[in-house]
């Protein structure tokens, strides 16, 4: 795997597991050549969770081929051949590659084209080596495990296409992904976890449960929230809004666009132009300039330089909020000013990086900006962290750690804001985190140039880390926008700004919630909370009466009016992840009762309608994660 042109240092840093996985890539290559001796091999590095090998092969590989390939791999593992390193000269290596002996089991009548090419990438002064396992020779710098027998616990995972060296002008290859672990138990655990993740995949569940969709004609990475997904989002927003009201935030609304000049002042344009939707300008002006002979690239650079007035979709809400702060006279008595907005922003992510709700081009942040005096930072941060804790705790996400990104004192020139301010802010952050009893790590040198930051890293139910809940102190933007308040000394002072977003992006957070709950949202968050299942036509009127009572509690309730058998009605309701099913048959109807079923707990018995309403009302208003017990009658 000679395409792996990492420095010697980086190679030596290969972890034990990476070394094992890379060695398994050699085992895979050996097996491929046993079956298809003319295959051309390119590169086979370890990657996160496994390894791959890029192969040029006429036969179109599919997962149906895996069994055969795995059999050949097992034979190579069983042979337990040592990985043997042979250092050779550049000329020898080139001769071997040209005679087809490298990346092969024997000399071939064809040249090993990719290896010939890869040899040229190896710097003049670097040692060239081949590694042999049995008859298979590969151009490789290593390192490997001792023997092929070490690669016992492997599995082929998938096949994809990939351009040679990742360049679309190069030939298209077939990339086989596999994974390998120290032992079978670790492999099994990994496979179970993958299966669990697959079952929970929010793209799959989002489609099955009709939560959101993405439409090519609307644009990649732009989420269409369908009615059920929108209901989940609205519950979340309402919940956050209530908490913001308690903390004396003001809700504001700002437009989705702003003038380029605004972002020139904030520093978002043109420096981050690559990661933004293209700027736009008045049609009349552009048409006039174009008719006068300006080329497209000239127009672009006039926009960039501010010779034409332009606009763009907002990549951040901060500049708009700063303008709201600056729109009034502010005295120290007015501070802190806390401006909150569910603000939608747009970023131009590369299309290869887009996927479901977790990587998108438009998203809504639960954003807010706090403008305060330096003395108020500590209390404000404590309030922000308390809010993040409240949100995560309510959703049962209690497995998280807190990461403080601080400045690197050795690199003081890098940071804006006075040393005194930084000391103050870092101490305030530490104090806030400690007073809330949070476990935290400090990462020196990780702060942005404009201020220290706090992140929450949340572990989901299947052990994956998600970075959420950011609180960022900022000394830069108040300076750039020259905002001030009048202090008790009657002189103007610069406020400190805090950016904070407890869940970050609502799109990404809902994607996480779908996976975390496997689509089984707690009742307060569920798009449909109760489904009433009349056993026959005769009970529909009774079902309607119960539905009316639930609606009076603002419950989201539906009646299954199909002629399906009750078993099918229950099944459909559970497939839709509806928390409660209320079955009404002849007897229940006569006694003003319902037979209560829960999607997870099954049969909860027959209860009076009022008993159910009371427990249900409590569960929703207290935002319980588990069903409230039904009082016994
Ligand atoms: Zn190797
Ligand atoms: Zn901001």
């Amino acid at each position: 795997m000679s395409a792996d042109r990492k420095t010697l240092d980086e190679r030596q840093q290969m972890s034990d597991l990476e070394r094992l996985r890379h060695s398994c890539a050699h085992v895979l290559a050996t097996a491929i050549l046993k079956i298809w001796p003319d295959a051309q091999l390119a590169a086979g590095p370890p990657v996160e969770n496994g390894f791959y090998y890029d192969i040029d092969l006429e036969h179109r590989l599919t997962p149906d081929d895996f069994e055969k390939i795995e059999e050949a791999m097992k034979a190579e593992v069983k042979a337990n051949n040592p990985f043997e390193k042979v250092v050779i000269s550049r000329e020898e290596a080139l001769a071997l590659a040209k005679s087809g002996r490298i990346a092969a089991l024997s000399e071939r009548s064809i040249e090993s084209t990719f290896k010939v090419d890869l040899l040229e990438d190896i710097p003049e002064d670097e040692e060239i080596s081949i590694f042999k396992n049995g008859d298979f020779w590969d151009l490789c710098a290593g390192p490997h495990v001792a023997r092929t027998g070490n690669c016992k616990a492997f599995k082929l995972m998938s096949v994809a296409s990939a351009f040679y060296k990742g360049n679309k002008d190069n030939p298209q290859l077939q990339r086989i992904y596999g994974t390998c672990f120290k032992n079978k138990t670790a492999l099994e655990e990994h496979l179970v976890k993958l299966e669990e993740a697959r079952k929970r995949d929010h793209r799959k569940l989002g489609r099955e449960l009709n939560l959101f969709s993405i439409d090519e004609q609307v644009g990649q990475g732009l989420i269409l929230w369908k009615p059920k997904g929108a209901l989940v989002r609205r519950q979340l927003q309402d919940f956050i809004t209530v908490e913001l009201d308690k903390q004396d935030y003001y809700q504001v609304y700002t437009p989705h666009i702003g003038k380029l000049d605004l972002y020139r002042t904030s520093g978002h344009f043109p420096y981050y132009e690559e990661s933004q939707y293209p700027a736009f300008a008045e049609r009349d002006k552009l048409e006039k300039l174009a008719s006068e002979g300006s080329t497209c690239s000239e127009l672009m650079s006039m926009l960039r330089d501010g010779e034409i007035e332009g606009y763009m979709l907002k990549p951040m809400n901060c500049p708009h909020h700063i303008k709201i702060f600056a729109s009034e006279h502010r005295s120290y008595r007015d501070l802190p000013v806390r401006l909150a907005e569910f603000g939608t922003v747009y970023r131009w992510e590369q299309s290869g990086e887009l996927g479901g709700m977790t990587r998108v081009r438009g998203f809504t942040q639960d954003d807010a900006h706090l403008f305060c005096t330096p003395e108020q930072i500590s209390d404000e941060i404590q309030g922000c962290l308390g809010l993040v804790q409240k949100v995560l705790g309510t959703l049962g996400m209690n497995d998280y750690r807190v990461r403080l990104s601080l400045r690197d004192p050795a690199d003081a020139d890098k940071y804006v804001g006075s040393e005194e301010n930084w000391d103050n802010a870092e101490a305030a952050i530490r104090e806030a985190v400690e007073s809330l009893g949070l476990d935290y790590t400090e990462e020196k040198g990780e702060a942005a140039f404009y201020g220290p930051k706090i992140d929450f890293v949340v572990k989901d139910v299947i052990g994956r880390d998600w970075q959420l809940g950011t609180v960022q102190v900022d000394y830069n933007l108040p300076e750039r926008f020259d905002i001030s308040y009048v202090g008790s000394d009657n002189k103007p002072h610069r406020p400190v700004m805090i950016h904070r977003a407890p869940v970050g992006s609502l799109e990404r957070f809902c994607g996480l919630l779908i996976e975390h709950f496997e689509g089984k949202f707690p009742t307060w968050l569920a798009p449909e909370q109760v489904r009433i299942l009349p056993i026959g036509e005769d009970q529909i009127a009774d079902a309607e009466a119960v539905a009316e009572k639930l609606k009076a509690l603002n419950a989201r309730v539906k009646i299954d009016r199909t002629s399906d058998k009750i078993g099918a009605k229950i099944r459909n309701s559970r497939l839709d992840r509806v928390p409660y099913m209320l079955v009404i048959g002849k007897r229940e109807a006569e006694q003003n009762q319902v037979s209560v079923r829960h999607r997870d707990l099954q049969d909860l018995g027959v209860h009076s309608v009022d008993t159910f309403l009371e427990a249900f009302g409590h569960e929703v208003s207290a935002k319980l994660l588990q069903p409230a017990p039904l009082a016994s009658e």
Side-chain angles (χ1 to χ4, degrees), residues 490-508:
N490 244 332
K491 291 191 180 121
H493 294 266
R494 189 77 74 209
V496 182
M497 187 172 167
I498 299 171
H499 312 247
R500 41 103 291 178
V503 308
S505 130
L506 284 167
E507 281 73 8
R508 185 163 166 275

Side-chain angles (χ1 to χ4, degrees), residues 316-319 321 365 367-369 474 477 497-500:
M316 298 271 225
N317 301 306
C318 347
H321 291 183
Q365 297 173 307
D367 211 358
H369 296 94
D474 188 346
L477 286 181
M497 187 172 167
I498 299 171
H499 312 247
R500 41 103 291 178

